[in-house]
Amino acid sequence: MTIAAYTVTAPVAEHGEGPVWCGSWGGLRFVDMLAGDVLALDPDGTVRRRHVGAVAAAIRPRAAGSVSGDYVCEGYVVAAERELLLSDSDELDAPLRSLGEAWSDPSVRMNDGGCDPDGRFYIGSMAYDETPGRGSLYVAEPGGGLRVVLPEVTISNGLDFSPGGDLAYYADTTTRRIDVLDYDREHGLTGRRPFVSVDPADGAPDGLTVDAEGGVWVALWRGAAVHRYSPEGGLDAVIRLPVRKVTAVTFGGENLDRLFITTSALDVDRTEQPDAGALFAADPGVRGRPVLPCAL
């Protein structure tokens, strides 16, 4: 099945990434990663921008109370270049406080992340020059320190969980694979194994999200598309875009039935791809799930 995409904004990001929908924010936020900016899409289509540092790698809502039961999203976390920043308010321009520098090596930065069903925040890393094996996937401890979960990755990217919460899907972009892992509260992520391999002609897997039926939607870097894979790993839907560098996806809208898609204009000839860096959307005929918040 082929699904049409349409533009939501003009090109607003040099390297758009990490879209997240949270009702308490009033809608969608995403990042212009290498500009170090968090962007908010208002209901009237206006895009507001807040600078947080050299890099804004990922953003997620924070939860007041236990995330395993009823909770209220209150504030947010931003992964910056080498630190996590916390806000106690949903307001885009609210004060941010740092949990401290996670590492001192200036050649390695944070890159994409997400939360597990129990509120733990995961953040990946990569070398600026994409040296193989210099990245990791980390999980944030209650005090904000980072512990390595997956070592020796290259470009740590999309992470999301199945509707039942017992499986996680993860992409290290350079492997051209989406992997699946087992998850439980006591042991965390275990048993990493291949889920889908992406043909090089189709690009490489970047950010991803899982819908309410367990389908895995993945943005294809240099692939000008988003693919949906069934829980069994079969390709069953494709969204085509007029730009090649497709970076990440999330479900949003009042009914979580609209798929938002971020794109990049890095090293792109805008005369050939004038919409590079725009935010796109599609109506895929399936709903997503509420965002998993973090308990930091």
Side-chain angles (χ1 to χ4, degrees):
M1 177 174 63
T2 301
I3 301 167
Y6 50 90
T7 54
V8 177
T9 72
V12 293
E14 182 70 9
H15 185 59
E17 267 279 10
V20 178
W21 180 276
C22 181
S24 66
W25 292 345
L28 189 80
R29 291 185 185 172
F30 56 110
V31 298
D32 191 351
M33 184 180 283
L34 300 180
D37 292 349
V38 175
L39 282 63
L41 177 68
D42 289 339
D44 64 0
T46 300
V47 175
R48 293 178 291 128
R49 182 181 294 262
R50 191 250 175 99
H51 187 66
V52 299
V55 169
I59 180 171
R60 283 295 185 278
R62 298 174 63 206
S66 171
V67 301
S68 58
D70 293 332
Y71 61 84
V72 175
C73 289
E74 187 173 70
Y76 59 93
V77 56
V78 178
E81 188 176 33
R82 296 189 298 276
E83 62 184 337
L84 299 182
L85 306 172
L86 297 185
S87 169
D88 296 324
S89 167
D90 291 332
E91 295 299 321
L92 181 65
D93 294 325
L96 292 168
R97 68 181 187 278
S98 174
L99 296 183
E101 190 175 67
W103 59 81
S104 59
D105 184 348
S107 68
V108 176
R109 65 171 176 84
M110 293 184 176
N111 190 68
D112 209 357
C115 299
D116 70 26
D118 296 295
R120 287 173 285 212
F121 182 68
Y122 295 76
I123 186 66
S125 67
M126 62 175 285
Y128 274 103
D129 65 3
E130 301 181 12
T131 299
R134 291 200 61 209
S136 298
L137 178 68
Y138 300 89
V139 64
E141 305 285 19
L146 299 184
R147 173 173 57 85
V148 174
V149 175
L150 298 177
E152 298 182 359
V153 302
T154 301
I155 303 178
S156 185
N157 251 312
L159 175 70
D160 200 8
F161 290 76
S162 63
D166 58 336
L167 296 174
Y169 298 92
Y170 170 76
D172 178 359
T173 295
T174 55
T175 66
R176 298 190 181 276
R177 287 197 324 264
I178 304 163
D179 290 341
V180 60
L181 301 94
D182 298 309
Y183 174 77
D184 66 50
R185 181 181 299 182
E186 180 180 357
H187 299 102
L189 297 175
T190 58
R192 182 182 178 185
R193 55 204 182 270
F195 171 63
V196 165
S197 293
V198 177
D199 189 309
D202 292 330
D206 202 321
L208 60 82
T209 192
V210 181
D211 65 35
E213 298 177 357
V216 180
W217 298 81
V218 59
L220 294 175
W221 178 254
R222 298 186 184 274
V226 174
H227 281 183
R228 182 194 192 263
Y229 297 95
S230 71
E232 295 74 36
L235 176 63
D236 58 13
V238 176
I239 302 172
R240 301 288 183 194
L241 289 99
V243 298
R244 293 189 63 215
K245 294 183 174 179
V246 187
T247 55
V249 288
T250 197
F251 281 91
E254 184 176 348
N255 297 312
L256 296 177
D257 57 358
R258 192 181 190 195
L259 190 72
F260 290 95
I261 306 164
T262 52
T263 66
S264 175
L266 286 177
D267 302 319
V268 167
D269 184 345
R270 287 189 180 272
T271 62
E272 296 179 355
Q273 300 178 61
D275 289 326
L279 177 71
F280 291 80
D283 301 315
V286 65
R287 293 186 179 184
R289 299 165 300 116
V291 61
L292 294 171
C294 81
L296 282 173

